[in-house]
Amino acid sequence: MRRSRPLFTETSAIHRFLIWSEQRKNGPVYFRYGLPVVLVVIATILKVYFLGPLNANSPFLLYFAIVCLCTITAGIGPAIVAIVMSAAAADYFFILPKGEFTFTGLAFYKIAVFLGESIFIILLSSAIMSAYRRVNHVQTLFRAMIEKGSEGIVLTNREGKRVYVSPSVERIIGYTAEEFLVMEPWVLADPDELSDIRARMDDLLGHAGKNISFIHRMRHKEGRWIWVENSITNLLDDESVCAMVSNFYNVTERIILEQKKDDFIGIASHELKTPITTLKASIQLMERMKTDPSNDMLPKLIDRSKRNIDKLTELVDELLNASQIGQGHLQLTKTPFVVADLLTECCHHIHAADKHNLIVEGDNELQVCADRGRIDQVVVNFVNNAIKYAPQSKDIHLSVGQVNGEAKISVKDNGPGVDPEKLPYIFDRYYRAEINSYNNPGLGLGLYISSEIVKKHGGQIGVDSKPGEGSTFWFTLPV
Ligand code: ADP
């Protein structure tokens, strides 16, 4: 099986030793200062009993190695302890006369040279370790960015074979780095886009250093299509890279949102156009009647115009609300009020129309501290939806009660209900369960606005519904 070109060195014994040493430096004091003592004692025994003849000329043999080891694994303090102990041991055991400490003449000279060279070793080892630490830090950082980031990274050689695939590709396309490494290039791309992609790649091959970015579709391991934004740079002529470097990430959510926005603009234009057209026709008729104010049609036309202006105001308010919420500008002015009072007072327009019975039930005393205007907006939206989507439902039940220490407010209708597979999306922005419903116009924003208002209050929102058995839209508020 082909293996990915390793980008980061980590498996060598030296690397592992250096990592271990770094950890030891922060280790317990007894280890850090015990290490030079133990090593110098062992080295001295070794030198006395096994390397005797050699030590006459080079009494500091092995001690240099111990100083170096102590600097790397335990730091400068323990290294100084090693130097002092080594100088004393060398002086006592190996510098003539043996068996006593001498600090004059040749002994003094040898010890001074040893101290000077040891300080040089300490400085050199510390410099090497600090350079190593910096390189290791940068490597760890890059490694985390490459392997844990949301971006997939692929290196491809001049023959079109992948030589490196970052583990992060698994999060994007579902295949592991090893699986993706051995796949033919572009095998997961949409066949309809393949010729365009190949043309771009051929052009890129001929331009060293050039970068191209494009969005294309890829087949996920689970079989669904996803959108990825791919940025590819031709670094084949760069000696340290020698590859086409491709960085790609999943932009499916962004593309879907853009599509939803486009659909929404179409729907919103249609929704706004209908009342404007009616209004325009009414005004034209009224204009013809301006010389005859006693005409019977006039009050009806005025009434119709008023209704259409109300509809327009409602739509524009909804658009403004959604835009405010989208920008995080939803402000709440909280005051205490009795929920049952709000439920009784909120829907005058429904009582006036006299087509539905609004039945308020539950705890008449329960108080909450919330933005009354915004909560009113949520309840009115639920009730308006009940009338719009469940017109046959004569009775609409509004109830309030305390559940798990929170106020729960529900609006129940006996309409057609909502399909279970549509329920998870019903509070999403622009979502409409029946897309081409001309009987029930709407922007798909009402429930989204309601859910944002409730969330901003720290409450929860939901719906219990079964097809044919009506719907209960509910939300909770902290009491
Ligand atoms: P709009 O009413 O403008 O379409 P909403 O966000 O208020 O937007 O509602 C989203 C969708 O939820 C509606 O398009 C409708 O399909 C569905 N819906 C809302 N309320 C009800 C209800 N009481 N019964 C059945 N479906 C509902």
Side-chain angles (χ1 to χ4, degrees), residues 270-271 274 311 315 388-389 432 437-444:
H270 173 82
E271 291 294 312
T274 314
K311 179 74 201 156
L315 286 169
K388 194 156 71 166
Y389 298 105
R432 306 209 65 220
S437 164
Y438 290 101
N439 296 337
N440 297 321
L443 297 174

Side-chain angles (χ1 to χ4, degrees), residues 381 385-386 388-389 413 417-418 426 431-434 442-447 471 473:
N381 182 37
N385 275 352
K388 194 156 71 166
Y389 298 105
D413 64 58
V418 186
I426 207 151
Y431 187 78
R432 306 209 65 220
E434 308 144 51
L443 297 174
L445 289 175
L447 289 181
S471 317
F473 282 83

